[in-house]
């Protein structure tokens, strides 16, 4: 026996359902088209972060308007709904203090702008490219292509290093040379390396600092300035050039030595190596 659906839905009810369905479909299409239009009309000089904020604001506003239109079409008494929503809001607010803290931290972070989408940042021991800045967290893509989610509250209370904020940066090399070496020759050799490398900038000048008398070497800090996009090329090329130049000029890069003494002040313990017959 087939049920008589006319007993359940009147013509007026079916008409209302159809009207709401049409409003919903048309509204979703309009929201999608608005997103496409925004991508076209937003100035290219705007950062990705600002474009994302504007797009989300427009999309969420359109969703709220669509929801309001549907509620008005259903002719629902909102007094009871708001009352229930208020009670639920209090319960949810108490139960989700961490989420609220993340949202507030997100607003502070967006207003302060310590980084933007596409920047390379370092948070604690984590480094990567900013993939998105969301309401509760930021997401960064690590260099081994993993997606890392960090809550906004953690970001706002942790030291954040923006590696790519400025157009140029300095790369430091820790070098050790033997005590017998002429430090003036070592300094000139390092200056020549920086001058010959086309990726190293002439201005600012390279930094050469004699740091300390180490256990087995004189420790030197050698810093070269470069454009931020050339990090790996500069690191590899300068590293190889230091080793090659030091070998050509006979500059020794020492390693720790161990001497065994028999009790005398200067005379080391004699060691003989005998070959097998």
């Amino acid at each position: 026996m087939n049920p008589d659906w006319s007993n359940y839905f009147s013509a007026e009810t079916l008409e209302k359902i159809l009207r709401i369905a049409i409003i919903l479909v048309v509204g979703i299409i309009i929201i999608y088209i608005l997103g496409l239009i925004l991508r076209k009309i937003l100035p290219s000089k705007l950062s990705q972060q600002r474009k994302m904020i504007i797009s989300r604001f427009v999309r969420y506003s359109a969703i709220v308007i669509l929801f309001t239109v549907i509620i008005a079409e259903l002719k629902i008494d909102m007094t009871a709904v708001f009352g229930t929503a208020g009670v639920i809001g209090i319960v949810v607010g108490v139960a989700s203090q961490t989420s609220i803290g993340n949202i507030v931290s997100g607003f502070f972070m967006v207003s302060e702008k310590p980084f933007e989408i596409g920047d390379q940042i370092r948070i604690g021991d984590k480094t990567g490219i900013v993939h998105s800045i969301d309401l509760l967290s930021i997401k960064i893509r690590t260099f081994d292509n993993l997606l890392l989610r960090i809550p906004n509250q953690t970001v706002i209370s942790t030291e954040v290093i923006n590696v790519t904020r400025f157009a140029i940066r300095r790369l430091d090399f820790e070098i050790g040379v033997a005590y017998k070496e002429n430090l003036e020759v070592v300094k000139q050799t390092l200056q020549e390396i920086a001058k010959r490398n086309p990726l190293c900038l002439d201005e600012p000048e390279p930094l050469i600092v004699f740091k300390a008398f180490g256990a087995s070497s004189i420790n030197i800090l050698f810093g070269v300035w470069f454009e931020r996009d050339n990090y790996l090329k500069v690191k590899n090329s300068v590293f190889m050039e230091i080793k090659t130049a030091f070998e050509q000029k006979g500059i020794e890069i020492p390693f720790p030595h161990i001497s065994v003494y028999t009790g005398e002040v200067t005379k080391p313990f004699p060691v003989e190596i005998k070959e097998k017959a």
Side-chain angles (χ1 to χ4, degrees):
M1 182 177 179
N2 294 327
D4 186 5
W5 293 105
S6 61
N7 296 329
Y8 298 95
F9 297 105
S10 63
E12 184 180 352
T13 303
L14 290 173
E15 182 183 351
K16 181 180 291 187
I17 293 174
L18 180 61
R19 191 163 56 246
I20 291 172
I22 293 173
I23 292 173
L24 185 61
V25 171
V26 172
I28 292 173
I29 293 173
I30 291 174
I31 292 172
Y32 178 75
I33 293 174
L34 278 175
L36 294 178
I37 294 174
L38 277 176
R39 293 177 190 175
K40 298 290 185 181
I41 65 174
L42 285 177
S44 57
K45 64 181 181 180
L46 284 180
S47 64
Q48 293 186 22
Q49 180 177 342
R50 294 196 174 188
K51 289 180 181 178
M52 180 195 68
I53 292 173
I54 294 172
S55 298
R56 289 186 176 179
F57 176 78
V58 173
R59 183 168 66 249
Y60 293 153
S61 300
I63 291 173
V64 170
I65 293 173
L66 178 60
F67 177 77
T68 305
V69 171
I70 292 175
I71 292 296
E73 188 65 30
L74 290 173
K75 298 179 181 178
I76 297 176
D77 184 8
M78 299 301 295
T79 305
V81 175
F82 286 144
T84 306
V87 175
I88 294 174
I90 293 173
V91 175
V92 172
V94 173
S96 60
Q97 293 181 2
T98 302
S99 298
I100 294 173
N102 285 325
I103 293 172
V104 174
S105 299
F107 282 120
F108 280 113
M109 193 166 56
V110 169
S111 62
E112 189 180 86
K113 292 197 302 183
F115 51 80
E116 296 182 354
I117 295 174
D119 284 348
Q120 178 185 332
I121 62 172
R122 188 181 303 134
I123 302 176
D125 60 344
K126 307 298 182 183
T127 304
I129 307 297
V130 180
H131 181 72
S132 68
I133 303 173
D134 300 321
L135 195 62
L136 298 177
S137 64
I138 71 165
K139 296 179 180 66
I140 64 175
R141 180 171 59 85
T142 62
F143 293 116
D144 51 352
N145 210 31
L146 300 177
L147 187 66
L148 177 63
R149 177 186 179 275
I150 305 177
N152 289 336
Q153 205 166 6
T154 302
V155 176
I156 207 72
S157 59
T158 307
E159 181 183 81
V160 178
I161 299 176
N162 191 330
V163 179
T164 54
R165 169 56 65 89
F166 302 111
I168 64 171
R169 55 177 297 201
R170 195 183 74 202
L171 180 61
D172 293 338
F173 295 87
E174 297 281 348
I175 306 169
V177 298
Y179 277 91
K180 66 181 180 64
E181 303 299 341
N182 185 326
L183 295 183
E184 187 62 36
V185 174
V186 173
K187 182 178 179 181
Q188 290 176 0
T189 303
L190 294 175
Q191 289 174 335
E192 290 171 2
I193 290 171
K195 187 175 182 179
R196 285 198 307 264
N197 193 307
L199 299 176
C200 296
L201 302 177
D202 296 329
E203 184 66 34
E205 295 181 352
L207 177 69
I208 300 175
V209 178
F210 298 103
K211 292 185 64 178
F213 294 98
S216 59
S217 65
I218 296 177
N219 300 328
I220 303 171
L221 173 66
F222 177 44
V224 294
W225 292 90
F226 63 98
E227 295 180 359
R228 64 186 182 190
D229 295 332
N230 296 328
Y231 175 79
L232 287 179
K233 294 179 181 178
V234 172
K235 185 174 179 64
N236 290 333
S237 61
V238 173
F239 194 96
M240 291 187 292
E241 288 168 7
I242 290 173
K243 186 175 186 302
T244 301
F246 278 22
E247 287 176 349
Q248 291 175 348
K249 295 196 175 184
I251 300 173
E252 180 185 354
I253 302 178
F255 53 88
H257 294 76
I258 298 177
S259 299
V260 181
Y261 292 88
T262 58
E264 298 183 24
V265 177
T266 58
K267 188 177 180 180
F269 185 81
V271 177
E272 295 182 2
I273 300 176
K274 293 183 178 181
E275 296 182 358
K276 292 183 179 181

